[in-house]
């Protein structure tokens, strides 16, 4: 955010309204919007490919799922950013299918219901989510800095394995997964991001992610690591067909499972709204969160009609907002328009899909790390008295459990594993509950600094120690200097009495050395 302020001061007058309402020239908006699309493209197309593969769909049908995913994601992004009354947080948030739903969707498919059961479960669960969204938004008072800092940090930490997987190749079954070539390509892309961020040109610096992805892709093509041979296979233009896989089927087990997933996505979207509000330094209240969640769920209700899944805000794009300093919601709306076009023009989608995963991984390291850094910056403003230290410590550690050990909840009930296998939702829930326990519930509270976990007490000075300090006095190089620049001797109580009674002369005192316990 510092970068953005300095750039604005040196080039254009500072924008006077809400930071997210700033409008950039069309060309820059499209460029920054495309950068958002490239950042989240790999993540948004992965769920339909995974679910379609589990359902045994043909490549053409899987392509239909991907196109529908892009089309609805673009419309949802436009609704979230532009907004209409009661719908849309009007913040720079990119919408798409969340990974949080993938495991549940695959389980429904494997249960024998196929894609119709998946779309039926998504439809009903999203309707439930839409109804509870306004009540869910009232939890805003339980998200002080000690909670939002943990949540933002966990978003970045939870996305780090995604960047690592991309850097290794994206496909664990591939022969070259984790090869030096893949990791080297990711490292080269990362180096380009850092070098472009270092240059003095603000435009290049802000487009560093996009330019690095383009440069990395060109390098990969020249070295044979990018394959564009299938770009022109298939149709150039296609409109998503409603209920292309048949009418939805409603199974109670799938509906319950998806309702739990919707609760998780509501939590994650709330976290992303708070995070991007913190980054943009704009006001986020319960009404704004409710509008954002309603847009989330309304898009999710429409999604199964056009053959895709629940929509949620993409955390990796929150990182892009942080690293570029571009907080304009209209830039992200332009990205939503690009997604709609990609959904209608499968050939363009295939071009973007040809970007090698290691290139995305190199850029993702910076993006996702920036999110975590933003959370750490928020936590730096927390007063670590009382139990705030243990809230942060326990929440971060608890949120990291499913990240460092993916199978930790394998033997738990499915509903529990669905919620807590996400580092974001588990860390957020722990932080909220501990904050309520230690800071909201006053009964039995130990008070400030009463806990062994509390931070060290603040440095204090006794009143009598400063009674002789006058206006203009200052402490410099270990000496007390008065307003006229003369040193004021610092003496002990015993020496003070001896000087006052004439027993010793001030000139006879040895030089005072900093650190001595005289006063």
């Amino acid at each position: 955010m510092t970068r953005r302020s300095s750039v604005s001061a040196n080039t254009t007058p500072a924008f006077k309204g809400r930071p997210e309402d700033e409008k950039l020239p069309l060309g820059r908006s499209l460029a920054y919007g495309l950068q958002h699309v490239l950042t989240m493209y790999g993540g948004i197309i992965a769920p339909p490919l995974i679910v379609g593969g589990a359902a045994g769909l043909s490549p053409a049908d899987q392509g239909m799922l991907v196109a529908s995913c892009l089309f609805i994601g673009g419309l949802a992004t436009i609704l979230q950013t532009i907004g209409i009354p009661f719908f849309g947080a009007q913040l720079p948030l990119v919408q798409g299918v969340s990974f949080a739903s993938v495991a549940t969707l695959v389980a429904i498919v494997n249960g024998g219901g196929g894609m119709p059961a998946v779309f039926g479960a998504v439809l009903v669960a999203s309707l439930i989510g839409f109804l509870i969204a306004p009540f869910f938004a009232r939890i805003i008072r339980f998200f002080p800095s000690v909670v939002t800092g943990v949540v933002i940090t966990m978003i970045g930490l939870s996305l780090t394995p995604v960047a690592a997987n991309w850097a290794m190749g994206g496909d664990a079954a591939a022969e070259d997964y984790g090869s030096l070539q893949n990791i080297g390509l990711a490292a080269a892309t990362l180096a380009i991001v850092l070098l472009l961020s270092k240059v003095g040109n603000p435009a290049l610096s802000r487009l560093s992610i996009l330019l690095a992805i383009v440069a990395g892709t060109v390098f990969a093509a020249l070295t044979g690591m990018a394959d564009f041979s299938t770009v022109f296979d298939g149709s150039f233009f296609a409109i998503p067909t409603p209920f292309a896989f048949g009418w939805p089927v409603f199974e109670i087990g799938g509906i319950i499972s998806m309702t739990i997933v919707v609760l998780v996505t509501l939590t994650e979207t709330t976290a992303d709204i708070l995070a991007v509000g913190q980054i943009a330094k704009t006001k986020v209240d319960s009404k704004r969160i409710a509008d954002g969640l309603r847009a989330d769920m309304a898009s999710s209700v429409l999604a199964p009609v056009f053959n895709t899944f629940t929509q949620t805000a993409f955390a990796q794009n929150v990182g892009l907002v942080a690293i570029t300093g571009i907080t304009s919601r209209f830039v992200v709306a332009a990205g939503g328009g690009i997604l709609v076009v990609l959904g209608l023009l499968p050939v363009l989608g295939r071009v973007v899909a040809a970007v090698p995963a290691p290139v995305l991984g190199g850029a993702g390291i910076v993006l996702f790390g920036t999110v975590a850094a933003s959370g750490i910056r928020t936590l730096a403003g927390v007063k670590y008295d009382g139990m705030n230290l243990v809230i942060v410590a326990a929440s971060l550690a608890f949120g990291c459990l499913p990240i460092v050990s993916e199978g930790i909840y394998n033997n738990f009930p499915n509903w529990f594993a669905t919620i807590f296998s996400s580092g974001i939702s588990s860390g957020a829930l722990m932080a909220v509950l501990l904050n309520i326990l230690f800071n909201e519930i006053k009964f039995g509270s130990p008070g400030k600094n009463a806990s062994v976990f509390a931070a060290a007490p603040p440095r204090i000075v006794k009143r009598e120690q400063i009674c002789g300090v006058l206006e203009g006095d200052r402490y410099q190089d270990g000496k007390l200097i008065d307003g006229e620049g003369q040193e004021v001797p610092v003496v002990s109580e015993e020496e003070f009495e001896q000087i006052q009674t004439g027993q010793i002369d001030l000139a006879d005192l040895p030089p005072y050395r900093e650190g001595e316990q005289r006063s």
Side-chain angles (χ1 to χ4, degrees), residues 168-181:
M168 297 174 73
D171 182 6
E175 293 183 2
D176 64 345
Y177 185 73
S179 65
L180 291 178
Q181 290 85 351

Side-chain angles (χ1 to χ4, degrees), residues 28-106:
R28 291 173 61 192
S29 294
L30 290 174
Y32 291 135
L34 177 60
Q35 188 169 236
H36 274 284
V37 171
L38 290 174
T39 299
M40 54 85 72
Y41 194 85
I44 197 174
I45 68 172
L49 292 177
I50 295 171
V51 176
L57 300 182
S58 66
D61 285 341
Q62 291 190 41
M64 182 188 300
L65 284 182
V66 171
S68 299
C69 180
L70 296 171
F71 180 72
I72 295 299
L75 293 178
T77 299
I78 293 172
L79 177 62
Q80 188 71 273
T81 53
I82 301 301
I84 59 177
F86 304 107
F87 294 90
Q90 294 188 340
L91 286 168
L93 291 166
V94 178
Q95 301 289 118
V97 178
S98 171
F99 270 103
S101 63
V102 170
T104 300
L105 295 174
V106 170

